[in-house]
Amino acid sequence: MLLQVLGTAAGGGLPQWNCACPGCTGARAHPERRRRHASLAVRVADGRWYVVNATPDIGEQIEATPELHPGPGARQTPLAGVVLTDAELDHTLGIARLREAHEGVDVLATPPVLDAVREGLRLDAVLGPYTPVRWRELSGGVGSPLDGRSSGAAGVSVSAVPLAAKKPRYAANHEDSSDSWSIALRLHEPATGRTLLYAPALAVWSDAFDEAARDADCVFVDGTFWDDEEPLRSGFSTRTATGMGHLPVNGPGGTARRLARLPGRCLYTHLNNTNPLGNPHAEQHKLLAEWGIEVAAERMVIEL
Ligand code: MLT
Ligand code: MN
Ligand code: ZN
């Protein structure tokens, strides 16, 4: 399975346009620290790719990735569609940037997430006059072929591991309270037997997530906050990391200790601009190295 990391930052990116925190100021002074919104491209067949989450940076992310460049036809694109892990704005606003798609675009998500982007963000009505969006339901279980149009064996199959009922603020009053609002995405390539688990927002380490993580060859996990108090300390929130739906990396309830025990390769993504891991010289990197855990880098390529 071939993967291209398109971005590794939480909402706002690094630097965030209106933020003068040490992380954002550091990224302005040292451009190599800049991170785009968290996203990943996965190849499902030769010259055919899907992106996991469509961020506000999707246009620049495509430009920075030669495999996603258009051609040979004038408006021919290797980008077939988008798979969503949730309905948050940092993962969905990029769908609107795909309005120029000549042959339309697939958008796969769980039922409440589809409803939020179609009706809450009104993307169904707004994009309809520009390009056909094929909204497809993502389910759990064994998984379905990611490329719905391919005949024969699926290049990559996709399934959802439901995680939490965390709704985006714009959908706070939505009647659905199932744990399909925020999922881990399981991508499996039958030809190689390889499995990727992608969870940029991990609110709880459930038994189902634990099982999926043990089974995966590679796991991308929520690295939004280094510790639970970070959002409070930085002064931008009155909630803890856990209270915001993101298990922290470090500390008693942190994810690092659990990741260290997994058999597969583990990488943190979705780093908030307050996270000390955004600074390559931060001492926290030493701890992660001891645990054998990586921080996903911008434009990283992973051949699973
Ligand atoms: C999150 O990761 O928790 C969301 O992106 C939050 C937000 O955008 O407000
Ligand atoms: Mn986010
Ligand atoms: Zn900042």
Side-chain angles (χ1 to χ4, degrees):
M1 193 174 347
L2 188 61
L3 309 163
Q4 290 264 359
V5 174
L6 302 181
T8 55
L14 184 66
Q16 176 175 311
W17 67 279
N18 65 342
C19 190
C21 77
C24 291
T25 305
R28 285 187 192 99
H30 306 277
E32 71 279 5
R33 295 187 195 171
R34 289 172 180 252
R35 291 175 185 265
R36 291 186 170 127
H37 286 96
S39 178
L40 189 74
V42 54
R43 188 179 65 182
V44 297
D46 260 352
R48 200 161 168 79
W49 294 75
Y50 279 76
V51 290
V52 178
N53 293 330
T55 85
D57 300 321
I58 192 166
E60 292 73 27
Q61 289 172 324
I62 289 170
E63 284 310 312
T65 313
E67 288 80 357
L68 299 180
H69 288 175
R75 289 285 162 87
Q76 195 179 346
T77 171
L79 183 61
V82 179
V83 194
L84 301 175
T85 59
D86 53 60
E88 297 290 351
L89 293 177
D90 51 337
H91 294 158
T92 55
L93 286 179
I95 299 170
R97 287 193 73 180
L98 301 178
R99 71 172 176 97
E100 294 92 356
H102 248 217
E103 293 171 6
V105 59
D106 291 350
V107 177
L108 287 85
T110 61
V113 170
L114 279 182
D115 196 51
V117 294
R118 293 181 72 168
E119 306 303 330
L121 294 182
R122 290 194 68 248
L123 287 184
D124 208 354
V126 169
L127 288 177
Y130 297 88
T131 194
V133 182
R134 293 174 292 274
W135 307 98
R136 290 171 49 198
E137 242 176 59
L138 190 63
S139 56
V142 289
S144 44
L146 187 46
D147 191 340
R149 286 183 289 179
S150 70
S151 55
V156 174
S157 73
V158 62
S159 60
V161 181
L163 290 177
K166 186 194 170 198
K167 300 169 195 177
R169 280 185 251 175
Y170 69 83
N173 298 324
H174 198 285
E175 73 271 10
D176 188 315
S177 286
S178 72
D179 56 4
S180 298
W181 278 100
S182 175
I183 61 155
L185 204 65
R186 190 173 174 273
L187 297 166
H188 178 70
E189 187 176 52
T192 57
R194 296 293 181 153
T195 300
L196 168 82
L197 193 66
Y198 186 78
L202 189 65
V204 275
W205 191 290
S206 65
D207 290 346
F209 180 78
D210 193 65
E211 194 181 319
R214 279 174 200 291
D215 189 49
D217 300 289
C218 182
V219 186
F220 277 77
V221 172
D222 185 341
T224 310
F225 300 112
W226 173 259
D227 65 75
D228 210 28
E229 307 290 309
E230 182 183 315
L232 301 171
R233 215 172 35 241
S234 69
F236 80 86
S237 177
T238 53
R239 289 179 294 169
T240 60
T242 312
M244 293 175 75
H246 298 283
L247 290 179
V249 170
N250 197 24
T255 50
R257 282 169 180 77
R258 290 173 178 274
L259 292 178
R261 292 199 291 266
L262 293 178
R265 180 175 177 183
C266 297
L267 305 101
Y268 280 115
T269 188
H270 197 272
L271 272 65
N272 194 59
N273 42 49
T274 53
N275 190 327
L277 292 173
N279 178 349
H281 306 297
E283 60 183 20
Q284 284 84 351
H285 285 283
K286 290 191 197 117
L287 261 174
L288 280 197
E290 279 169 26
W291 282 319
I293 307 169
E294 299 169 61
V295 177
E298 295 286 291
R299 291 180 297 281
M300 189 179 217
V301 180
I302 294 182
E303 172 96 64
L304 263 193

